[in-house]
Amino acid sequence: MQQNLLETPIEYLKGVGPQRGDLLRKELNIHRYGDLINLYPNRYIDRTRYYKINELQNSNSEVQVVGKIINIKTVEQKKGKRLVATFVDDTGQMELVWFQGHKWIRESLKINVVYVIFGKTTSFNGVFNMAHPEMELLEEHKASLRSAMQPVYPSTEKLSNKGISNKVINKIMQQLFMETQALFTETLPGYLLEELKLIPKNAALFNIHFPKNQDFLAKAQFRLKFEELFFIQLQLITKNLIRKHKIKGHPFENVGDYFTNFYNNHLPFDLTNAQKKVLKEIRNDLGSNAQMNRLLQGDVGSGKTIVGLMSMLLALDNGFQACLMAPTEILASQHFNGITELAKDLNLNIKLLTGSTKTADRKIIHEELENGSLHIIIGTHALLEDKVKFKNLGLAIIDEQHRFGVEQRSKLWKKNEVPPHVLVMTATPIPRTLAMSLYGDLDVSVIDELPPGRKPITTVHRYDNNRLKVWKFIRDEIAKGRQIYIVYPLIQESEKMDYKDLMDGFNGITRDFPLPQYSVSIVHGQMKPAEKDAEMKRFSEGKTNIMVATTVIEVGVNVPNASVMIIESAERFGLSQLHQLRGRVGRGAEQSYCILMTGHKLSNDTKTRIETMCSTNDGFEIAEVDLKLRGPGDIMGTQQSGVLNLQIADLVKDREILQLARHCAIKLLKDDASMEKPEHQTLRRVFIELGKKQNIWNYIS
């Protein structure tokens, strides 16, 4: 249909006007006709059935009844009045009740005329009543576009208060279909509709708003979900192709002394097959003329750091500098220590730059970066400051990138004429569906095996009343020379209570594990960084047996001798957090344990989380369960949740449709990358239109 009609401002639709238009804009982001068409219902009420009054049940479900009003009265009650109408059919009578809007309702009600009423019924003293029913004259009910499956649209409190009820939205939606005559342009090529047996766009939009039955609705949903995911995948894959053609990278043609010397003489252990495979993928990227943009996923302890270092050595072999950026000082220091240790025989200049680097040291770092004598810089956001200039940055590695905003990352790119190659590392396994949609324009590598000699961690669930047994187990482990973590939750909203729990716990532990036989460390957010570091250091040097902490230690403490992780109030942690915490043990060759302590009252979701933790150590499996429990928005954190503002598809429930959409998009672009073929003309036009509106992809990497 002529596209311009869908661009009409919403207030011009009959029944809307300026005031309602303004509300729809503010509350539901509906500016034009096209936005209203895409306001899909949340759910549907099946109105295929009409009940008789003598069939009503006290089930609080929504029903519709046909009958007439025979009288109306006002009844005084403690607070104000209520309006009551007696409603009858040929099997009995019930009451309709209104608590507000009496005058207006009383004037509009007609006596002895047949109505169809709809609402929730409750029974009081053997008489059924329905409060604030939806009412329609039988004549109008028969004539309306209304289908048997009734849509329920998203709404807000403000809309309801201003009288824009579901019924009103339904009415303006009908008006819209009448004005546009439901002639919507087909957006997908004919061969795709045939191949996938998709219904046309017209039929899909009509049946998503006014489905005749469940079958029509299912077909409409499938078609619209596929289309939405298909265009997103087209955008992501095209973006990847364009970047490979347009954004030239520095080709790293040499595999020189740094890399070969390290590989042949200084590898602390043999690389796993997964590490070798990933290195090969990275080397291919770096050797091509395109800028590398790769996501490296690997569970805690899978050996991403060594892959990162070897990629940096390739940059040095080609005369470039490299940097690694981490979200916290603890993590940056840990990377610095790890990489310095690995590269100690390579005669490299490696420095650490964080917020607490002294001014004098900063000056030296800035000079060495500019004259090129500093090979590798590791740091936090401090690397993004304008003062930090590189002679020639060839590779930027970003750790746990979901903690960095868009602008921050683009600052790093701009430090060079030619953008550096980018390797994004994450220990938060991302479920495949999310990776396909959020990072669909990145090439993804996965390290999916642990280094040899690592034993899987044994995870068990214990209730609080088993504490004595758990304490005995700790004593036995300490007697074998091992160390223990005990972690308490710290949630912003209940910080004072949590802090009290932590301190009570700490006092209890120091009583049960007294000096001089035992020594206990404590780390929490209210300590000064220097105090924290001192306590961490005592623990990592083996001077204390037990580390009592809040989730400060979730990322970045590496104590191979710690073999037991006890998580207190485990029901208050999310799955990925539990998995990250568990990853703090199991770093040495000894058998390690994770004990989840909880109270007896557990919700179903909590039970699922705990069972998942006890049954698998696989981060990807855990991430899939987490995605089902929490949904995509939460997993990506607030700054990323807006990224998939999907109107109808759901990444968790529609995995298969997403995979199908990605497969079809790849196939189409392989055959016709610029969508120039005659059968792709409409597709190309829609694609370009969407590109203008949906800037949601632009910030990804």
Side-chain angles (χ1 to χ4, degrees):
M1 116 184 214
Q2 62 290 22
Q3 207 49 35
N4 48 9
L5 188 53
L6 289 182
E7 296 296 324
T8 313
I10 196 67
E11 58 268 29
Y12 292 110
L13 184 64
K14 190 178 164 194
V16 178
Q19 277 171 318
R20 280 182 171 175
D22 198 40
L23 274 168
L24 289 172
R25 264 198 192 88
K26 285 183 183 143
E27 295 296 302
L28 295 176
N29 211 6
I30 292 174
H31 298 263
R32 304 178 310 279
Y33 281 19
D35 299 328
L36 183 62
I37 287 280
N38 293 327
L39 177 72
Y40 299 128
N42 284 337
R43 61 191 177 91
Y44 298 83
I45 295 159
D46 191 348
R47 292 183 73 160
T48 43
R49 166 119 205 245
Y50 297 91
Y51 286 79
K52 293 287 188 190
I53 291 174
N54 68 354
E55 294 176 319
L56 297 177
Q57 302 281 331
N58 200 5
S59 65
N60 201 25
S61 61
E62 293 169 307
V63 294
Q64 59 185 353
V65 186
V66 183
K68 13 177 142 166
I69 292 173
I70 51 172
N71 78 354
I72 306 170
K73 60 183 178 192
T74 305
V75 179
E76 294 287 341
Q77 50 189 40
K78 273 184 198 159
K79 285 186 181 171
K81 306 170 177 173
R82 65 178 192 272
L83 187 66
V84 179
T86 308
F87 188 80
V88 300
D89 69 2
D90 52 5
T91 70
Q93 69 176 42
M94 63 187 289
E95 290 184 339
L96 310 182
V97 189
W98 291 269
F99 298 98
Q100 57 234 44
H102 298 178
K103 185 173 179 291
W104 170 75
I105 289 166
R106 196 164 191 151
E107 284 167 9
S108 67
L109 291 178
K110 299 185 165 98
I111 302 269
N112 284 326
V113 176
V114 183
Y115 278 103
V116 177
I117 62 163
F118 176 78
K120 282 187 176 174
T121 55
T122 46
S123 164
F124 186 70
N125 287 344
V127 178
F128 277 94
N129 62 61
M130 191 183 280
H132 292 260
E134 280 187 32
M135 302 187 66
E136 208 173 10
L137 294 169
L138 183 62
E139 294 307 304
E140 283 175 13
H141 180 78
K142 284 180 180 165
S144 78
L145 239 185
R146 174 168 298 188
S147 57
M149 304 280 302
Q150 192 120 49
V152 178
Y153 290 98
S155 186
T156 65
E157 206 175 326
K158 203 164 189 181
L159 287 178
S160 312
N161 292 345
K162 297 280 187 186
I164 303 182
S165 61
N166 193 56
K167 190 175 172 186
V168 169
I169 291 186
N170 212 314
K171 231 184 170 123
I172 61 176
M173 193 68 81
Q174 292 185 36
Q175 183 60 35
L176 181 65
F177 271 81
M178 286 173 193
E179 281 192 29
T180 53
Q181 293 170 351
L183 296 173
F184 303 107
T185 313
E186 184 50 70
T187 49
L188 298 174
Y191 68 85
L192 207 54
L193 296 181
E194 257 173 62
E195 191 184 318
L196 303 175
K197 300 192 170 47
L198 298 174
I199 62 171
K201 179 87 176 198
N202 275 340
L205 284 173
F206 187 80
N207 282 296
I208 201 82
H209 292 291
F210 310 109
K212 277 207 187 59
N213 56 36
Q214 293 286 357
D215 187 43
F216 279 94
L217 176 61
K219 287 193 167 103
Q221 285 173 327
F222 185 82
R223 149 77 208 224
L224 294 169
K225 285 174 177 184
F226 175 83
E227 179 179 349
E228 181 167 41
L229 294 168
F230 178 70
F231 277 106
I232 287 173
Q233 291 302 324
L234 276 183
Q235 281 180 315
L236 289 169
I237 297 158
T238 306
K239 202 170 165 186
N240 195 349
L241 292 173
I242 289 173
R243 193 182 47 239
K244 285 186 175 161
H245 290 302
K246 270 199 184 154
I247 303 184
K248 296 289 174 246
H250 300 287
F252 291 177
E253 281 152 0
N254 305 329
V255 176
D257 292 346
Y258 285 123
F259 187 90
T260 39
N261 177 12
F262 180 76
Y263 188 75
N264 296 331
N265 308 320
H266 303 296
L267 264 186
F269 45 75
D270 288 340
L271 296 182
T272 62
N273 288 331
Q275 285 172 314
K276 286 180 186 162
K277 182 184 92 215
V278 168
L279 263 172
K280 196 171 169 187
E281 291 167 347
I282 291 172
R283 278 176 60 176
N284 287 343
D285 283 359
L286 296 175
S288 76
N289 279 324
Q291 180 209 15
M292 169 167 85
N293 218 9
R294 190 167 279 282
L295 172 69
L296 173 57
Q297 297 192 76
D299 231 328
V300 179
S302 61
K304 293 184 297 296
T305 310
I306 203 157
V307 171
L309 170 63
M310 291 172 81
S311 310
M312 291 189 198
L313 296 178
L314 282 170
L316 305 188
D317 277 336
N318 287 275
F320 291 97
Q321 295 163 299
C323 76
L324 190 160
M325 186 163 83
T328 63
E329 290 206 8
I330 289 183
L331 251 181
S333 309
Q334 196 190 321
H335 278 303
F336 175 71
N337 297 334
I339 284 175
T340 315
E341 174 58 30
L342 285 168
K344 61 177 186 284
D345 302 321
L346 296 181
N347 193 17
L348 288 178
N349 185 359
I350 305 175
K351 296 255 163 83
L352 176 68
L353 178 64
T354 68
S356 28
T357 305
K358 295 190 174 66
T359 315
D361 296 338
R362 273 171 192 260
K363 221 175 146 194
I364 297 169
I365 288 175
H366 292 158
E367 281 169 16
E368 291 185 347
L369 273 180
E370 284 199 59
N371 68 29
S373 62
L374 181 51
H375 299 111
I376 293 175
I377 180 92
I378 294 168
T380 53
H381 300 77
L383 293 177
L384 302 173
E385 289 166 7
D386 294 336
K387 290 193 197 90
V388 179
K389 294 190 173 68
F390 291 84
K391 184 178 182 194
N392 51 357
L393 177 63
L395 172 68
I397 298 182
I398 298 181
D399 195 26
E400 297 302 343
Q401 79 135 24
H402 55 278
R403 300 194 180 195
F404 292 106
V406 191
E407 296 83 38
Q408 294 173 318
R409 293 201 300 268
S410 63
K411 265 188 179 168
L412 200 49
W413 300 179
K414 292 182 184 132
K415 304 244 174 209
N416 243 31
E417 291 291 309
V418 177
H421 293 291
V422 179
L423 181 66
V424 173
M425 300 200 300
T426 176
T428 313
I430 300 159
R432 281 213 49 204
T433 37
L434 269 185
M436 280 194 299
S437 2
L438 283 172
Y439 300 112
D441 65 330
L442 284 162
D443 301 307
V444 179
S445 292
V446 178
I447 303 183
D448 48 10
E449 61 182 304
L450 288 180
R454 288 274 175 99
K455 295 192 176 103
I457 300 162
T458 303
T459 305
V460 293
H461 172 212
R462 294 289 178 261
Y463 292 107
D464 289 336
N465 55 3
N466 300 119
R467 193 169 294 280
L468 288 174
K469 282 187 180 161
V470 174
W471 268 199
K472 179 183 181 310
F473 174 70
I474 293 181
R475 287 194 183 91
D476 295 346
E477 284 292 299
I478 293 175
K480 292 182 199 163
R482 314 266 187 272
Q483 289 167 284
I484 318 292
Y485 290 108
I486 302 179
V487 178
Y488 284 81
L490 183 64
I491 319 284
Q492 247 61 46
E493 297 84 69
S494 55
E495 207 162 321
K496 284 200 176 81
M497 257 171 57
D498 286 345
Y499 184 61
K500 185 180 170 300
D501 287 350
L502 173 78
M503 295 322 286
D504 288 352
F506 175 66
N507 294 332
I509 291 161
T510 46
R511 269 198 311 275
D512 292 338
F513 295 88
L515 287 160
Q517 193 183 350
Y518 300 100
S519 172
V520 184
S521 289
I522 182 166
V523 172
H524 56 79
Q526 297 184 6
M527 292 163 72
K528 294 193 171 75
E531 292 173 346
K532 261 192 238 175
D533 291 343
E535 285 289 285
M536 295 259 197
K537 199 167 172 222
R538 283 176 63 210
F539 186 65
S540 60
E541 287 170 357
K543 291 177 183 160
T544 57
N545 316 98
I546 297 175
M547 160 76 81
V548 177
T550 53
T551 42
V552 180
I553 63 154
E554 178 185 343
V555 249
V557 188
N558 191 2
V559 182
N561 191 42
S563 65
V564 182
M565 165 64 71
I566 293 175
I567 303 177
E568 294 285 352
S569 307
E571 66 269 32
R572 292 179 56 196
F573 290 90
L575 246 181
S576 60
Q577 224 181 357
L578 289 171
H579 180 62
Q580 289 277 353
L581 285 169
R582 170 168 66 184
R584 296 289 124 225
V585 294
R587 297 185 155 234
E590 305 309 328
Q591 176 61 57
S592 290
Y593 303 90
C594 173
I595 303 173
L596 307 174
M597 304 291 296
T598 70
H600 277 279
K601 274 190 181 160
L602 300 177
S603 70
N604 287 340
D605 276 6
T606 305
K607 284 180 188 153
T608 308
R609 286 204 296 270
I610 303 243
E611 281 160 15
T612 307
M613 283 292 293
C614 294
S615 66
T616 179
N617 276 300
D618 179 339
F620 287 94
E621 220 174 293
I622 286 167
E624 290 289 350
V625 177
D626 202 22
L627 181 62
K628 284 192 180 103
L629 291 175
R630 293 199 295 158
D634 285 347
I635 285 191
M636 295 324 296
T638 43
Q639 67 207 43
Q640 306 249 354
S641 57
V643 62
L644 286 173
N645 239 330
L646 296 173
Q647 286 174 312
I648 188 165
D650 174 321
L651 286 186
V652 184
K653 299 184 185 125
D654 302 322
R655 267 183 78 160
E656 280 151 18
I657 306 180
L658 172 63
Q659 281 165 338
L660 177 68
R662 187 166 175 84
H663 167 76
C664 293
I666 290 171
K667 197 168 142 191
L668 186 144
L669 292 170
K670 261 191 182 152
D671 171 51
D672 181 17
S674 48
M675 301 181 240
E676 296 285 356
K677 290 189 173 178
E679 64 267 32
H680 295 150
Q681 287 311 297
T682 316
L683 190 70
R684 184 185 158 89
R685 198 174 61 245
V686 177
F687 180 77
I688 291 168
E689 275 304 305
L690 278 178
K692 288 179 199 162
K693 288 178 199 155
Q694 288 186 321
N695 266 349
I696 55 177
W697 304 107
N698 291 353
Y699 79 70
I700 294 175
S701 54

